[in-house]
Amino acid sequence: MMNNLSSATEFCLLGFPGSQELHHILFAIFFFFYSVTLMGNTVIIVIVCVDKRLQSPMYFFLGHLSALEIMITSIIMPMLLWGLLLPGMHTISLVACVTQLFLYLAVGTTEFVLLGAMAVDRYVAVCNPLRYNIIMNSHTCIWVVIVSWVFGFLSEIWPVYATFQFTFCKSNLLDHFFCERGQLLKLSCGDTLFTEFVLFLMAVVIIIGSLTPTIVSYTYIISTILKIPTASGRRKAFSTCASHFTFVVIGYGSCLFLYVKPKQTQAAEYNKIVSLFISVVTPFLNPFIFTLRNDKVKEALRDGMKRCCRLVKD
């Protein structure tokens, strides 16, 4: 505990409860997830850059989505793994805590905006295919990506600033494995009700705002697909959207549970589970979601592996 006149200059992350043996098991599991996430998403970025068959807006956006997944898991995982590997509580400075929370929220917001843009891209591809190349030209795609990144980072400056304007004098023990906003607000001595309400409204605007074009786009996409007379045609049309739709359900579902609610300071156990899903499970699943159901990506991967094998033999 701390006295009422002082504010924390560093925080002790409590991480996961349990024995050291359990921590070592969790370390092995999360290290595997992290390694696969880095390798899988890096492979997607590389093949999108080098394979001419993947030089289209859909895969251009996918490359940036994979880069965001690498970033969001790398913001969290190194500290999580370090805490599991070594015994005792681990401290993080106030500056590092501010930086981690800002990057985590900014990258997540950028991802939401990009997912909304990808939904519109799929709408144009399915509902207006003859004008697809005109509407989704390279100039448009580059601007969409720039706006996504800039908006994501600018929109999270005030929420992080508002969070750290409070005096954290109740304790410096943070019941989480990273600097999570809800648990930080629990340590504040001031009245956080108004700030929590404003943060709730901002979460609604960002998440629901980026979800709206996705819902509208898929409403038109489904309507268009149902009008296709043949079953094979319907399957082919839906296969171009299935990966993105699956990722949207997983990504938005977990974040709606964590951020779109008036009270930000819910139970730590609940926070940890949902945060793990966002920062560990979803980035891990991304390469599988976008490759297993995509014939072009699978062909590019097979050709890439063949080239690598020939280089090794030579």
Side-chain angles (χ1 to χ4, degrees):
M1 296 294 292
M2 304 172 63
N3 66 64
N4 291 333
L5 299 177
S6 64
S7 183
T9 56
E10 64 177 23
F11 297 97
C12 297
L13 300 175
L14 299 183
F16 296 95
S19 64
Q20 195 62 29
E21 290 74 17
L22 176 61
H23 283 189
H24 289 160
I25 294 171
L26 290 175
F27 174 85
I29 294 171
F30 290 139
F31 183 77
F32 169 76
F33 271 64
Y34 186 43
S35 301
V36 173
T37 298
L38 292 181
M39 289 187 291
N41 285 288
T42 301
V43 167
I44 287 178
I45 294 170
V46 171
I47 63 171
V48 165
C49 291
V50 302
D51 198 294
K52 292 182 179 180
R53 289 168 294 186
L54 305 182
Q55 302 299 307
S56 70
M58 174 183 173
Y59 300 107
F60 176 70
F61 294 142
L62 177 58
H64 281 269
L65 182 64
S66 294
L68 288 167
E69 295 290 28
I70 290 173
M71 289 177 66
I72 202 163
T73 194
S74 295
I75 291 165
I76 304 299
M77 286 298 287
M79 186 170 293
L80 186 153
L81 293 172
W82 185 258
L84 290 171
L85 189 61
L86 299 178
M89 290 186 296
H90 297 272
T91 60
I92 180 172
S93 68
L94 182 63
V95 173
C97 191
V98 173
T99 304
Q100 186 184 52
L101 180 61
F102 173 71
L103 290 175
Y104 177 76
L105 295 175
V107 170
T109 302
T110 304
E111 189 170 306
F112 284 133
V113 178
L114 190 61
L115 284 172
M118 291 175 75
V120 175
D121 170 72
R122 292 299 82 209
Y123 158 74
V124 178
V126 174
C127 302
N128 204 349
L130 297 179
R131 299 191 62 202
Y132 180 72
N133 290 329
I134 298 172
I135 297 172
M136 300 303 296
N137 56 61
S138 59
H139 182 76
T140 301
C141 294
I142 290 170
W143 271 107
V144 166
V145 167
I146 291 172
V147 169
S148 299
W149 283 88
V150 172
F151 176 80
F153 277 74
L154 290 182
S155 65
E156 293 301 336
I157 292 175
W158 186 87
V160 174
Y161 172 80
T163 300
F164 286 94
Q165 282 302 293
F166 292 104
T167 301
F168 303 106
C169 56
K170 288 183 179 178
S171 171
N172 68 338
L173 300 179
L174 198 62
D175 193 4
H176 216 289
F177 51 82
F178 80 106
C179 285
E180 199 275 328
R181 183 168 63 195
Q183 299 307 307
L184 281 167
L185 291 174
K186 278 187 175 182
L187 304 182
S188 170
C189 295
D191 184 5
T192 63
L193 187 61
F194 176 74
T195 300
E196 288 186 55
F197 180 69
V198 174
L199 294 174
F200 162 72
L201 291 180
M202 292 189 70
V204 169
V205 171
I206 291 171
I207 298 179
I208 305 300
S210 60
L211 185 58
T212 300
T214 303
I215 294 172
V216 173
S217 296
Y218 274 103
T219 300
Y220 281 104
I221 287 169
I222 293 169
S223 176
T224 302
I225 289 174
L226 291 175
K227 294 176 183 177
I228 298 174
T230 62
S232 60
R234 288 193 294 269
R235 278 196 301 271
K236 184 177 180 181
F238 186 72
S239 67
T240 64
C241 309
S243 299
H244 176 263
F245 183 77
T246 304
F247 192 86
V248 164
V249 171
I250 295 172
Y252 277 99
S254 53
C255 285
L256 284 169
F257 277 110
L258 187 59
Y259 292 114
V260 184
K261 56 191 182 311
K263 193 68 176 173
Q264 297 285 311
T265 55
Q266 74 276 25
E269 292 75 17
Y270 175 91
N271 261 6
K272 289 177 187 178
I273 293 170
V274 182
S275 296
L276 278 174
F277 207 83
I278 295 170
S279 58
V280 179
V281 178
T282 304
F284 171 80
L285 292 176
N286 180 56
F288 301 102
I289 292 172
F290 283 98
T291 57
L292 295 179
R293 298 182 64 89
N294 192 304
D295 292 333
K296 280 189 177 180
V297 176
K298 286 190 285 189
E299 288 174 12
L301 283 172
R302 279 196 294 268
D303 292 346
M305 291 178 67
K306 288 177 183 177
R307 290 195 201 100
C308 290
C309 291
R310 284 198 294 268
L311 288 172
V312 170
K313 288 179 181 178
D314 295 342

